[in-house]
Amino acid sequence: MRAGDLGKRLASAGHPALKRGERGRTRSSLSTRVRASASDGKVVVPSLCFVATAGLVDAAFSGDWSRIGAISTGTEDQLKLLCGALLLERLALVAWLGKAETQPLVLAKAFFGGTLSVLNELKTREGK
């Protein structure tokens, strides 16, 4: 059984997650929603911020990068200072947002995703 056949069978059975497309093809409304949320940056920006922060913390504190020669120990020390400044910025952002009635998800985005994630969240709220 091919994947298209399965979709047609589920659509003909009236499965709620599937609906008919414009050209008679069956498409999943769930995958359409995932693509829509990824295209407006709700997923991409916080994910990139989190990965960049994780890479920065790894480079600063693991010691692996200086051991293999990718960065010097002086650069590693500078990255540690940058991580400290970044932590203070994130804590200040969470404290500032915590004064207003802010959803816990936004506070988590502020801590793990940083300023870009919060700005993205505010931008999407203005658009609504």
Side-chain angles (χ1 to χ4, degrees), residues 5-124:
D5 295 338
L6 177 62
K8 288 178 185 176
R9 289 180 73 190
L10 287 173
S12 66
H15 195 275
L18 297 172
K19 59 184 178 184
R20 292 300 258 174
E22 295 171 359
R23 294 183 214 149
R25 293 184 183 144
T26 307
R27 68 173 193 235
S28 168
S29 60
L30 177 63
S31 65
T32 305
R33 280 185 260 143
V34 169
R35 267 187 257 125
S37 67
S39 66
D40 67 0
K42 282 187 176 184
V43 176
V44 176
V45 172
S47 300
L48 289 176
C49 291
F50 179 75
V51 169
T53 303
L56 176 68
V57 170
D58 179 51
F61 292 102
S62 72
D64 295 337
W65 293 44
S66 61
R67 191 173 20 254
I68 63 171
I71 60 174
S72 68
T73 54
T75 304
E76 194 174 82
D77 293 337
Q78 290 176 345
L79 289 175
K80 287 178 184 175
L81 289 174
L82 181 63
C83 284
L86 189 65
L87 178 65
L88 290 175
E89 181 262 343
R90 302 266 173 102
L91 290 175
L93 186 62
V94 168
W96 177 71
L97 287 172
K99 290 180 182 178
E101 291 189 24
T102 308
Q103 297 174 352
L105 178 63
V106 176
L107 293 176
K109 280 185 178 181
F111 187 73
F112 292 112
T115 308
L116 285 178
S117 296
V118 172
L119 291 175
N120 189 38
E121 182 72 26
L122 292 174
K123 183 184 99 174
T124 55

